[in-house]
Amino acid sequence: MGGKRDKPSGRVSNRRLLRQTAGLFKGHRLGVAAIAALVVITAGAGVVNPVLIAVVFDIALFPTHVVNGHTVLLPVNLTLLEVLVGIMIGITIVTGAIGVLQTYVTNRVGQRVMEELRNRLYEHLQGMSLRFFTGTRTGEIQSRLTNDVGGIQSVVTDTATSLLSNIVTLLSTLVAMLVLSWQLTVLSLAITPLFMFYTYRAGRVRRQITMQAQESKAEISAITEETLSVSGMLLAKVFGRGSEEVVRFRKENHRLANLAIRQEMIGRALFAVIGAFFSSAPALVYLIAGFVIAGSHGTHTPIQYGTIVAFTTLQSRLFFPIGSMLSVSIEIQASLALFERIFDYLKMPHDIVDRPDARVVPADDIKGDVRLDHVYFRYDRGTFGPMTEPIHRPAAPTPIANGHAPDENDPVPNEIRRDWAIEDVSFEVKPGQLAAIVGPSGAGKTTISYLIPRLYDVSKGALLLDGMDVRDYTIASLADAISMVTQETYLFHASVRRNLTYAKPDATQEELEAAARAAFIHDRIVALDDGYDTLVGERGYRMSGGEKQRLAIARVVLKSPRVLILDEATSALDTTSERLVQAALEPLLTGRTTIAIAHRLSTILAADVIFVIDRGRLLEQGTHAELLRRGGAYAKVYEQQFQGGRVEAVCEDGMVLASGEVVAAAPTAPAA
Ligand code: ADP
């Protein structure tokens, strides 16, 4: 309110925030105008009764008449008294009713605004790219959507109206006071600065504590989200870290509890200060009135009885709005910080969106030719501000071969850090082909697979589907044409049916069962308690690994995409499950382009083309036979690891194969 600007985080000016906040009410102009009118009426009407008190006392109850300089008391004017009392009661009832109406309109507008804000925030987050989610804690996002939006709710519904109401109350009260007695008005105003000082100070501290409490709540949200989820719990149990998590939680929880105590105490202290002013102010009025009357020596009474009574009533209408305006201004400041956190999210750009001239291509019209044309890609840092820095994952060091000289042409020989996650990769997968991408962990296989459906956009070069840049398709077209089976199967806490039909909401029961049969999971599903309506636990933890994978496969079968990206699970399944998953996959691969991040030897052998990736670059490509003939990195590994039937060993030049999985490859000159 004052000219002093307080920047919560120093990034966005309050004025801009206020403008943005006001923008939230754009669609509710009529409601806002109605609220303003009602507030002015109720607040203004509130001053009438105290003024009437003076009239009741001095004209109706104790009418006086001055005779020869002496005041003579006249009989009670009953008729006038009846009228005045009638008016007083009438005003109370009418303002009460208007107050109820005002509360209704205010809440209606306020709640709609909040509803729209939450919707906007959720929709905006839905449109964020994967990049944002890999760099932001889930709990943090949830906290902004619930705690922060909840935190500004009161501002939106109450604060603005109470501010207006207070201004009107204050002004009307001041006018009434001045009309009644300027001396008493001066007295009342003289003690307000002290009162203002205390309220303002208390409010400031409260605001700081509110901010800290909000941060603490977000932290607790994040901790619980991280640790009380199934995966977090699993990790904590496996590593025996449960007690440390408890300590971490206790610490933060303790902080929150202390903050809550301080918040409560400051509120109580403020209440006490206001209370003291409220009760001592009338006493001071009596005192000053006494002095004024005594000073007049009874000849002419400058202050009448009614005035004194009316004044003490008016005084409470003075302190209350001042106090509440001070705390409101601080509340607004505090919630501006919350608004800022929310607008921060709303402002975040959607980096992967449809181009204006993007084409809608029906999935049936897509043949499934996938081509990478000199693709470079880098995981940028800091696109979404400091809160959302991507989690730094150091690239896996490339094992140096014993006596194997690093390639001279390699611009980043054997360095942990590398400039590009994907560097100058070109290859083509023809429609209907099965391509296997192999390479050590951290090579960039997953990254390549993310680029195809535009989970990320290439930094340089182009990725083409049927000869057209993927960025020229609408995202919806790409989503229709391309599907992914990821390593980790994500299932909703919902029925098997809902988990399956997620891929195709209008699927019939027949289609559902056909897909489940194709994925060898139908029999398992019907054996469950409620068949297709059985709830799978949170993230499918009530299913075995193999079953989950087969469910995920059935989901993709149902969708039947033109291009399938398959990230083979590295987690070992028992032989039977493994065979079932393998059997489920086979029909899925036929008739569509499949790009598999291959960990199974069977997939590698079945592939029409194999791409060997290391440190973001394509080392070799060709069929299994071609690569063997070439005698490069792939051939060495294959000869040493698979020929002899051994599936678990570390070979000399650093290429490691574990259970048929290419875990790390030696650096070799790129093919051709
Ligand atoms: P692969 O699938 O072959 O194991 P990835 O494609 O997952 O390898 O990773 C390639 C490189 O990119 C690695 O160095 C990895 O650390 C890095 N990386 C992967 N995801 C991210 C991310 N979200 N932010 C920053 N770097 C990442």
Side-chain angles (χ1 to χ4, degrees), residues 539-553:
R539 297 194 190 162
Y541 277 87
R542 272 159 63 181
M543 298 236 142
S544 80
E547 284 163 5
K548 277 200 297 179
Q549 282 177 20
R550 270 141 55 210
L551 261 189
I553 292 167

Side-chain angles (χ1 to χ4, degrees), residues 134 379 390-391 393-395 418 421 440-447 456:
T134 56
Y379 287 98
I391 298 156
R393 287 208 273 148
R418 64 180 196 240
S441 170
K445 307 181 293 294
T446 311
T447 307
Y456 292 96

